[in-house]
Amino acid sequence: MNLVSLISSGIDSPVATFLMSKNADEIILIHGDITPFTDKREKENFLDLARHLKKICKCKIQVQLIPHGKSLSAFKQKCDNKFTCVFCKRMLLRYAEVMAKKNNCDAIIMGDSLGQVASQTLQNIKTIEQAVQIPVLRPLIGFDKQEVVKIAKEIGTYELSIKSSMGCSAVPNKPSTQSKLEKIMREEKLLDVKELVKKAISESKMVRI
């Protein structure tokens, strides 16, 4: 089984990736670079995590960096900002689906745990997942934060995940927790989503680790 994994520099997605690696032949780690909404430490922290995952996962690991800042900026400028996190994840899933099709991958891994943050309420998960047709695997969906942290410490990703960085400045002060698909789709029509995806993929690059 070949998979793509949407992976940040945080705690959850590396753990989700490790858990799914037990059943995978290959995983492509896909990281959306949100510059200018973060600093260079965020990408550096992700690459450190990717190197560690390559060491501890038995399957083949590849890394794909996709520039996501321009798309995120377009949504911030033209769409309702309280849905920024939903727009962001829908775009990341679209990138991942394109890469999955290009590389004959079977599904996308995400590190969501139900209800931990605004984009992970059940309603928002439903809205986000609708952006793609490919299966989305969420091995942490029923875990609480302490359970995820425990695994992260056991596999050696925790200390890498809590390294200092600026975080994401695109996150709204009051993000929506109950997005409606119809509303999101109307908002997305204000942009050329297909072109944004196409451009981001064309500017993406495989990174040797």
Side-chain angles (χ1 to χ4, degrees), residues 34-146:
I34 59 171
T35 304
F37 296 101
T38 191
D39 59 18
K40 65 179 182 179
R41 290 175 295 174
E42 199 275 336
K43 184 167 69 175
E44 291 169 355
N45 292 350
F46 157 71
L47 290 172
D48 286 342
L49 278 163
R51 293 183 188 101
H52 185 71
L53 285 170
K54 187 173 183 178
K55 290 179 182 178
I56 64 174
C57 294
K58 293 182 179 180
C59 66
K60 182 180 179 181
I61 296 288
Q62 294 193 62
V63 174
Q64 189 83 19
L65 280 175
I66 299 181
H68 183 42
K70 290 179 182 177
S71 294
L72 196 52
S73 180
F75 278 100
K76 292 285 287 181
Q77 291 173 20
K78 295 190 177 182
C79 298
D80 190 333
N81 273 212
K82 69 174 176 285
F83 299 117
T84 296
C85 296
V86 173
F87 296 135
C88 177
K89 283 205 169 183
R90 281 169 63 88
M91 289 299 288
L92 291 171
L93 277 176
R94 289 180 175 115
Y95 304 151
E97 184 174 51
V98 172
M99 295 307 302
K101 289 178 178 178
K102 283 187 174 184
N103 293 278
N104 296 314
C105 294
D106 304 292
I108 300 168
I109 305 167
M110 295 185 77
D112 296 336
S113 299
L114 189 61
Q116 280 196 16
V117 296
S119 63
Q120 295 176 7
T121 62
L122 184 57
Q123 181 60 46
N124 280 356
I125 285 173
K126 287 168 61 179
T127 301
I128 290 164
E129 189 169 282
Q130 186 277 339
V132 295
Q133 300 298 314
I134 191 171
V136 179
L137 309 177
R138 295 181 172 90
L140 306 182
I141 196 68
F143 285 46
D144 63 36
K145 195 65 176 184
Q146 291 309 309

Side-chain angles (χ1 to χ4, degrees), residues 80 82-83 180-188:
D80 190 333
K82 69 174 176 285
F83 299 117
K180 300 297 184 183
L181 179 59
E182 296 79 9
K183 169 67 173 175
I184 296 300
M185 292 180 72
R186 284 198 302 271
E187 290 284 318
E188 287 184 342

